[in-house]
Amino acid sequence: MTPPATTAPLTGRARAAAWATLAVGGLSRRLKMGSGSVVGGRVGLALEPDLLARLGRGRTAALVTGTNGKTTTTRLLVSALGGTGRVATNAVGSNLPAGLAAALAAAPGLRAVLEVDEGYLGRAKEALEPEVVVLLNLSRDQLDRVSEVRMVAGRFREALAGFDDGTVVANADDPLVVWGASTAPKVYWVGAGQLWRSDAVGCPACDGPVTFEPGGVGWSSGCGLRRPDPVLSLDGDDVVDAAGRRRPLRLSLPGRFNRANAVMALAAAEVLGVDMAGALSAMAHVGDVEGRFSVVTSGTVQARLLLAKNPAGWTELLDLLEGGDEPVVIGINARIADGHDPSWLWDVAFERLAGRHVVATGERARDLAVRLRYAGVSHAVVDDQLDALAASGARRVEYVGNYTAFQDLRRRLAERPGRPRQTEPPAPVLRAFRPAAAVPVARQPAETTGSAGQKRRRRLSDGVSALRVVVVHPDLLGTYGDAGNGRVVAARAAWRGASVELLLASSGRPLPAAGDLYLLGGGEDGPELQAGAELASSPLGQAVAQGAVMLGVCAGYQLLGTSFPDATGASRPGLGFLDVRTFKGPGRRAVGELLAEPLASSPLHEALTGFENHSGHTQLGQQVAPLANVRHGIGNGDGTEGAWSGNVFGTYLHGPVLARNPAFADLLLARATGEAPLALDDDEERALRTERLGAVQHPAWRRVRVRRP
Ligand code: GLN
């Protein structure tokens, strides 16, 4: 192993700033205000803005970034390099400049392994001139803060162009990572695998489709972007090198995703001169990473603590939970570090938890409860996270929290060491809900031709002819959880006794012509363009002419209009079903809670609540009417929100909109069937609406705006 490099002497100012970083951090810890790394680092950076570069000078550094697995991979790499006593690292996960500065100030002279927020890779790389940059994976996460995933990958490209002095270790199985890394002169490709592919269906380089080899690992795009040959790969429980040599990967950490993290860490360790056998045995002992995967006792309950904060993370975690029968307690918050929009819950296949009891908890438990209701998962809502652990009455539970929910629970557990919390499980705040089974979803349209008109105006209750709900190109227009709209309308029709077909109609295949209800969701600029090109020659126009009901959300709304902007801002022709045109809005991207009151002329009569996240502004023509007036947020950009004409509706609301506004779902169903739907027990939706309508009045929301990158 190479010895730690010695640090170049600090200037007087940098020395004072480093001292202040540690002193303020220490004080904050003594006052029990947290780990102290952020506040300390902020003070240090205020005194010496160049502190990161000064503290990094002369030492070897590895930076770890990506959407999921940063903290664990960093921890594994630290172990491979000799453990925390011999490496400077931000173990608690403070991965913005202040946290990085604090980690370096705390361990002068030592080699550094630092996890870095995806948005700060460029700045950290400039300051620290690392030997290794590890790119794990990229997927939708905190979209309100980082905008669109392709934009993050684009920033990686800028940051890594001309990176001659170091090596990028990158996951060859993630097309967004490959595109992001491919400006770097030296890349060590790793076949770490990636279960979640939904953010890379559209090629980041050319906007064409990416084709994944069925059942295999290969993928390619028409423009030539393809899976590079990896030097090191994960194959089951083994690591395989380019020469085909296999080594067993023995980890204390559970799950495929941790084996993937370990292979990435192994490659980085190799670049830093650590022999593979030594690195493997050092990593085998890591069993708990900042509380993740640990088993804790709270009262009489033993809980395994797991963290999942986005659909990609949940996809891996659902595999890990498979086969168990313990209740699952799920904590969801939506603070800055989580992302303010939990619409992503609709991209998680919670249907896989059917048959298990779930307790929804955390600050956004109500969003989760509505999601579970439509997933057909029996659940209860318990606001307090510690109470939630006890609520199922079981002795062992699995706890899965997103970022701040997880941190909160750990803090609460630490404050009450070993003290039994309750003897009796508390009564859930809402009743346990046992919904009817979720509606089956077909990914492959059963039939692609036929006339919508022949079958339209069926009665929901006749039970003979199926109501056909088509989610249009969820692979391209599904980034913001809007495919959930399909689940909502289909379930609401089914619960009323109708027979329903829910079709997820991916791009690249003929779109079913005989749909009764077509739903288009939000998407990134590139995939929006791709969907627009494909839909121009689809049977959607014919379906509209025959009176099919249509709802477009955000990108989907923009596409229904006469023109919309591409990523460069250039105007592109839309489908022309609504007399609206969209252009890039002035100033900041519109991001935050949106609340709008229906106009007297609108077919909707209840306030609309949801979350918006768009750069486009939409101008309404003579042939359409707005859906509502904006009370809070941006909407169309002129004080109105959405548009409608006949049976075609457009809105900027995510949430998904039909989950947060069931009256809107029922309006679409009424239009599609010609009959007024019976009332349903919507207690959980109402509880969510009440909470959101209350939250939006809070002044904090006025601050939730991010700049257009
Ligand atoms: N990419 C489009 C915009 O930024 C749509 C975004 C979305 O669908 N949320 O305006």
Side-chain angles (χ1 to χ4, degrees):
M1 202 180 288
T2 44
T6 45
T7 311
L10 290 178
T11 60
R13 185 152 126 181
R15 209 171 316 128
W19 181 85
T21 300
L22 295 176
V24 173
L27 184 67
S28 159
R29 269 191 303 281
R30 275 194 296 284
L31 295 174
K32 301 218 179 318
M33 291 168 64
S35 73
S37 53
V38 174
V39 58
R42 279 196 191 140
V43 171
L45 284 167
L47 292 173
E48 168 55 284
D50 208 20
L51 186 60
L52 263 187
R54 304 250 176 223
L55 289 172
R57 193 157 298 162
R59 57 171 139 189
T60 304
L63 306 182
V64 179
T65 195
T67 308
N68 288 326
K70 291 187 283 289
T71 305
T72 303
T73 306
T74 298
R75 179 74 186 83
L76 289 166
L77 182 53
V78 166
S79 290
L81 295 180
T84 37
R86 306 186 60 179
V87 179
T89 187
N90 48 347
V92 292
S94 309
N95 58 22
L96 298 176
L100 306 185
L104 294 175
L110 297 185
R111 288 195 286 187
V113 178
L114 301 167
E115 71 160 273
V116 177
D117 181 270
E118 303 86 284
Y120 284 88
L121 179 65
R123 192 169 154 192
K125 186 220 129 212
E126 277 312 302
L128 298 171
E129 298 173 356
E131 274 63 30
V132 187
V133 169
V134 181
L135 302 185
L136 297 168
N137 48 64
L138 277 178
S139 67
R140 63 192 68 173
D141 185 43
Q142 299 176 56
L143 293 174
D144 59 316
R145 186 170 68 85
V146 298
S147 305
E148 302 188 343
V149 188
R150 274 163 188 70
M151 296 181 187
V152 180
R155 279 179 236 138
F156 282 3
R157 290 175 68 77
E158 283 165 30
L160 298 173
F163 181 38
D164 295 313
D165 300 331
T167 304
V168 174
V169 171
N171 185 357
D173 291 315
D174 185 334
L176 286 165
V177 162
V178 171
W179 185 64
S182 52
T183 52
K186 245 186 293 169
V187 187
Y188 182 132
W189 297 108
V190 181
Q194 166 91 324
L195 294 186
W196 175 263
R197 289 171 166 178
S198 300
D199 288 303
V201 179
C203 174
C206 69
D207 288 332
V210 170
T211 313
F212 291 92
E213 197 181 286
V217 288
W219 57 264
S220 61
S221 154
C223 66
L225 190 74
R226 52 177 283 280
R227 181 181 192 256
D229 292 330
V231 182
L232 205 62
S233 300
L234 176 66
D235 185 14
D237 292 338
D238 294 338
V239 187
V240 187
D241 67 19
R245 269 189 305 267
R246 279 179 179 273
R247 290 184 181 82
L249 192 57
R250 291 197 188 89
L251 295 179
S252 307
L253 297 173
R256 192 213 73 84
F257 54 101
N258 277 326
R259 292 198 290 281
N261 292 334
V263 179
M264 297 297 290
L266 199 60
E270 199 192 1
V271 173
L272 293 172
V274 183
D275 77 281
M276 226 179 251
L280 279 169
S281 76
M283 297 194 307
H285 301 295
V286 177
D288 161 351
V289 181
E290 288 301 300
R292 297 159 177 79
F293 319 110
S294 63
V295 176
V296 298
T297 304
S298 170
T300 56
V301 186
Q302 284 207 314
R304 176 161 69 156
L305 304 186
L306 301 166
L307 185 139
K309 51 194 174 83
N310 49 44
W314 262 103
T315 301
E316 302 271 2
L317 216 63
L318 283 166
D319 273 1
L320 185 70
L321 295 175
E322 188 109 347
D325 58 3
E326 302 87 353
V328 185
V329 179
I330 304 177
I332 300 295
N333 284 355
R335 300 189 199 167
I336 291 178
D338 306 304
H340 287 299
D341 178 16
S343 295
W344 60 267
L345 292 169
W346 291 80
D347 292 332
V348 177
F350 285 116
E351 286 74 8
R352 290 176 64 186
L353 294 179
R356 276 173 95 162
H357 186 62
V358 174
V359 181
T361 184
E363 292 159 3
R364 297 302 290 270
R366 277 160 193 78
D367 294 79
L368 178 62
V370 171
R371 170 70 187 102
L372 293 171
R373 164 169 152 86
Y374 287 97
V377 177
S378 146
H379 62 276
V381 175
V382 179
D383 285 314
D384 181 275
Q385 292 211 89
L386 279 183
D387 289 346
L389 293 182
S392 69
R395 295 207 154 256
R396 288 183 59 91
V397 301
E398 303 272 20
Y399 167 85
V400 188
N402 69 342
Y403 192 71
T404 69
F406 186 90
Q407 308 290 14
D408 261 10
L409 180 69
R410 284 192 74 214
R411 189 176 44 74
R412 301 270 313 279
L413 287 165
E415 280 165 11
R416 311 173 68 94
R419 188 132 62 89
R421 164 121 185 119
Q422 337 242 156
T423 41
E424 285 297 310
V429 171
L430 295 180
R431 81 224 180 292
F433 189 85
R434 247 169 229 288
V439 180
V441 180
R443 282 174 196 283
Q444 200 74 39
E447 143 205 352
T448 54
T449 53
S451 156
Q454 297 155 3
K455 291 204 279 172
R456 198 160 320 289
R457 302 251 173 265
R458 71 203 74 221
R459 295 181 63 80
L460 269 183
S461 44
D462 75 358
V464 181
S465 46
L467 179 82
R468 182 174 274 199
V469 178
V470 183
V471 178
V472 178
H473 295 181
D475 51 333
L476 301 174
L477 302 173
T479 311
Y480 295 85
D482 300 316
N485 287 324
R487 294 187 185 279
V488 172
V489 275
R492 295 180 74 79
W495 292 342
R496 291 167 169 127
S499 117
V500 190
E501 269 183 278
L502 175 58
L503 302 174
L504 300 188
S506 293
S507 62
R509 303 196 187 113
L511 195 74
D516 298 294
L517 225 162
Y518 289 89
L519 301 163
L520 294 80
E524 302 189 7
D525 291 340
E528 177 177 348
L529 186 64
Q530 195 185 329
E534 217 172 290
L535 292 174
S537 54
S538 76
L540 269 189
Q542 179 199 340
V544 172
Q546 290 176 336
V549 179
M550 204 161 286
L551 170 68
V553 178
C554 206
Y557 170 31
Q558 297 173 359
L559 283 175
L560 295 183
T562 52
S563 67
F564 66 95
D566 65 16
T568 66
S571 179
R572 301 291 192 135
L575 299 168
F577 305 155
L578 281 176
D579 180 20
V580 303
R581 52 175 284 268
T582 302
F583 50 93
K584 285 274 175 206
R588 294 176 179 188
R589 195 173 167 92
V591 183
E593 286 282 331
L594 176 56
L595 169 63
E597 294 289 349
L599 297 158
S601 56
S602 166
L604 281 162
H605 306 296
E606 279 187 8
L608 282 169
T609 157
F611 197 94
E612 62 181 331
N613 189 350
H614 55 103
S615 62
H617 278 205
T618 298
Q619 207 171 54
L620 274 54
Q622 298 294 318
Q623 314 297 317
V624 291
L627 270 179
N629 278 326
V630 173
R631 286 277 164 270
H632 178 86
I634 305 295
N636 291 328
D638 63 356
T640 67
E641 154 51 24
W644 70 287
S645 162
N647 278 346
V648 183
F649 298 81
T651 176
Y652 271 112
L653 295 156
H654 302 294
V657 61
L658 301 185
R660 277 170 67 159
N661 304 277
F664 198 176
D666 288 350
L667 168 74
L668 300 181
L669 280 176
R671 294 288 184 106
T673 63
E675 74 177 21
L678 298 170
L680 290 175
D681 169 2
D682 283 334
D683 278 6
E684 296 199 295
E685 287 86 344
R686 270 199 294 275
L688 172 61
R689 283 179 67 76
T690 307
E691 182 208 277
R692 289 292 89 212
L693 294 177
V696 91
Q697 321 288 349
H698 198 278
W701 274 111
R702 294 180 201 291
R703 295 201 301 271
V704 184
R705 289 279 179 275
V706 292
R707 283 180 190 287
R708 192 181 317 164

